[in-house]
Amino acid sequence: MIKFYKLAMAGSAALLLAACGNGSDSGSGSQGETEGEGTTTGEIGGSIEVGVGEDYVEFVEAIAPAFEEEYGVEVTVSERDMFDTLEAVPLDGPAGLSPDVLLSPYDRIGGMGQQGHLSEMTLVDDGRYDETDQQQVTVDETVYGTPFVIESLVLFYNKDLMDTAPATFDELEALTEDEQYAFSGQADTSTAFLANWVDFYNSYGLISGFGGYVFGEDGEDTADIGLNSPEAIEGIEYAQQWFNDVWPEGMLDVTSAGDFIDDQFIQGNAAAVINGPWGAANYRDSGVNLGVAAIPTLPNGNEYAPFAGGKGWVVPSYTENYETAAAFVDFITNEENMMILYDEYTNEIPANQNARNTINEAGEDELAVAVIEQYNNAVPMPNIPEMAEVWTGAESMMFDAGSGNKTAEESANDAVQIIQDNIEQKY
């Protein structure tokens, strides 16, 4: 019988076993072939704990009984903050305090797997995952998680101001000539289209669409940083045109640009903005006649290519019941259960391709269709620890270029130099 309890994070006992936290020789045991940390004898049985955030508790509670009945096991659901739980795994795992199954953002999975804290996984080979899905949970050709949900930046537009979504950036540029979008107080500026490009997470889709990249082709080659390639610089130069010739000065304020964009869109001063699906509820609640679409094609004819985001299921390498935990992950991510998640609970887009196709073919959810279309052009965010240095190095790159403090080439070269230096020092 399924149990549920709300758990405060326990840490004192874990501190006693901190020395065991690296998990370097856990062996992961994805096939249950050997005994040791993260392994079993290959039999499904016993009990497991599934630790998830508040948004997923009811969903897991609803799914678990069928799994319990099929396999004769017991599933306990605990409410835990996702990030706190991940941070605690190196200490809580050896102390037996970590859940057997938990969720992680895709960009955290590779690093934790390399450090020995996550079990290796074997993805179900039934067509439910494509190459992008697999890359999200893979590092060094080793799979450390199972794809769960996906997300991507999209284009929101006001249907009271635009009959149809723009298909190209040329259309967005033309829109800025309309006087109704002139920004009061700053002559010759427009809020017709806005994007928070001073934030690297948001501007990467532009840079990538022009041909820039982070760590090589597969996101793992830290010796090959492509944020200052000629193509990346061309993308930054295109952004400079918006910052220098079109947008109000507030668009360069990294701390407030996001709020400025939301305010302008809600007030009807912006016809279209780039944001993530998390922005939809606020726009709708504020009375915007909301339309959603994939981001328009860039001036070079390429698709906007933002980071592909989302979450995956992981099994800590310290679990004493790997086979049951892995079976549960495969069970909860099947098409039927992913449609239950989407239809009845969070409305998030499943990573499961069959469920995703069902949603897309129905065409009833404009936001979901847009996310799915954009995700097909998105780039998996590098999930290795060195990615932390990219956020630091690229933090001021677009501001330096957009403000005129540096040329596009100078800002890109300086950002890459910071990233390279930090990686060399720390890794």
Side-chain angles (χ1 to χ4, degrees):
M1 181 176 180
I2 185 171
K3 300 178 181 179
F4 165 72
Y5 59 91
K6 190 166 184 176
L7 183 68
M9 293 303 298
S12 57
L15 294 175
L16 299 176
L17 292 168
C20 302
N22 62 13
S24 59
D25 56 3
S26 65
S28 77
S30 62
Q31 301 302 310
E33 295 173 348
T34 60
E35 301 216 11
E37 289 182 333
T39 68
T40 71
T41 57
E43 297 180 357
I44 298 175
S47 63
I48 57 170
E49 178 191 346
V50 181
V52 291
E54 181 180 4
D55 291 348
Y56 298 107
V57 168
E58 291 186 4
F59 165 66
V60 179
E61 285 186 299
I63 298 304
F67 178 78
E68 292 178 313
E69 181 177 356
E70 180 173 349
Y71 291 101
V73 300
E74 182 180 56
V75 177
T76 298
V77 183
S78 60
E79 182 183 318
R80 297 171 178 249
D81 178 82
M82 177 175 66
F83 291 103
D84 288 347
T85 306
L86 288 170
E87 291 292 335
V89 165
L91 297 181
D92 283 1
L97 299 175
S98 181
D100 301 287
V101 178
L102 60 148
L103 285 170
S104 170
Y106 290 133
D107 64 320
R108 296 286 296 275
I109 291 175
M112 290 191 67
Q114 287 181 319
Q115 293 160 6
H117 301 307
L118 301 180
S119 300
E120 294 181 22
M121 305 293 285
T122 300
L123 297 180
V124 177
D125 187 17
D126 62 358
R128 71 175 68 173
Y129 304 122
D130 67 8
E131 184 176 341
T132 298
D133 301 325
Q134 295 175 43
Q135 188 175 341
Q136 295 277 38
V137 296
T138 302
V139 64
D140 290 337
E141 300 184 352
T142 301
V143 178
Y144 289 108
T146 298
F148 178 47
V149 294
I150 65 169
E151 64 186 22
S152 175
L153 295 173
V154 291
L155 185 84
F156 293 101
Y157 66 100
N158 189 327
K159 291 183 176 180
D160 290 335
L161 301 174
M162 307 181 73
D163 293 332
T164 59
T168 67
F169 265 79
D170 289 341
E171 294 177 52
L172 293 175
E173 291 177 28
L175 198 64
T176 65
E177 302 298 323
D178 191 327
E179 285 299 318
Q180 72 170 311
Y181 302 114
F183 184 66
S184 176
Q186 292 186 34
D188 300 323
T189 63
S190 172
T191 56
F193 160 70
L194 301 173
N196 191 10
W197 284 341
V198 75
D199 183 316
F200 179 69
Y201 178 82
N202 290 278
S203 61
Y204 180 74
L206 171 69
I207 295 170
S208 178
F210 270 87
Y213 52 90
V214 180
F215 294 137
E217 184 177 349
D218 61 0
E220 296 182 12
D221 186 358
T222 58
D224 181 14
I225 301 174
L227 296 178
N228 62 342
S229 67
E231 296 82 5
I233 292 170
E234 185 180 358
I236 297 171
E237 288 173 341
Y238 180 68
Q240 279 183 310
Q241 297 176 29
W242 285 90
F243 284 118
N244 296 336
D245 302 333
V246 180
W247 285 337
E249 294 176 1
M251 291 294 289
L252 275 169
D253 190 330
V254 68
T255 61
S256 64
D259 291 336
F260 176 80
I261 291 169
D262 286 346
D263 290 343
Q264 294 302 308
F265 189 57
I266 289 169
Q267 294 169 17
N269 299 325
V273 299
I274 292 176
N275 200 352
W278 49 84
N282 181 37
Y283 296 152
R284 289 186 176 124
D285 291 346
S286 300
V288 177
N289 186 6
L290 193 65
V292 196
I295 299 171
T297 303
L298 291 165
N300 63 356
N302 293 340
E303 298 296 335
Y304 201 90
F307 285 123
K311 305 181 190 80
W313 292 103
V314 294
V315 175
S317 56
Y318 311 99
T319 181
E320 296 181 355
N321 203 349
Y322 172 83
E323 294 296 338
T324 303
F328 180 79
V329 168
D330 292 342
F331 180 81
I332 203 169
T333 55
N334 67 32
E335 181 180 1
E336 179 183 358
N337 290 328
M338 288 296 86
M339 288 305 300
I340 291 174
L341 174 80
Y342 170 77
D343 287 329
E344 302 179 24
Y345 292 94
T346 68
N347 203 225
E348 290 175 285
I349 313 303
N352 184 299
Q353 289 285 324
N354 298 321
R356 202 187 307 180
N357 290 338
T358 297
I359 296 167
N360 196 41
E361 290 169 5
E364 298 174 355
D365 185 338
E366 194 173 42
L367 176 59
V369 170
V371 170
I372 292 170
E373 180 180 351
Q374 190 66 60
Y375 191 86
N376 290 334
N377 295 315
V379 179
M381 187 184 299
N383 60 10
I384 56 178
E386 289 87 345
M387 185 62 192
E389 309 313 321
V390 176
W391 300 116
T392 300
E395 185 176 22
S396 63
M397 180 172 67
M398 200 63 82
F399 172 83
D400 288 339
S403 64
N405 291 341
K406 301 175 183 177
T407 66
E409 183 174 5
E410 289 170 341
S411 66
N413 286 339
D414 288 350
V416 169
Q417 189 63 57
I418 292 172
I419 296 168
Q420 290 174 332
D421 289 346
N422 287 344
I423 289 175
E424 183 177 347
Q425 293 170 9
K426 298 180 182 180
Y427 302 89

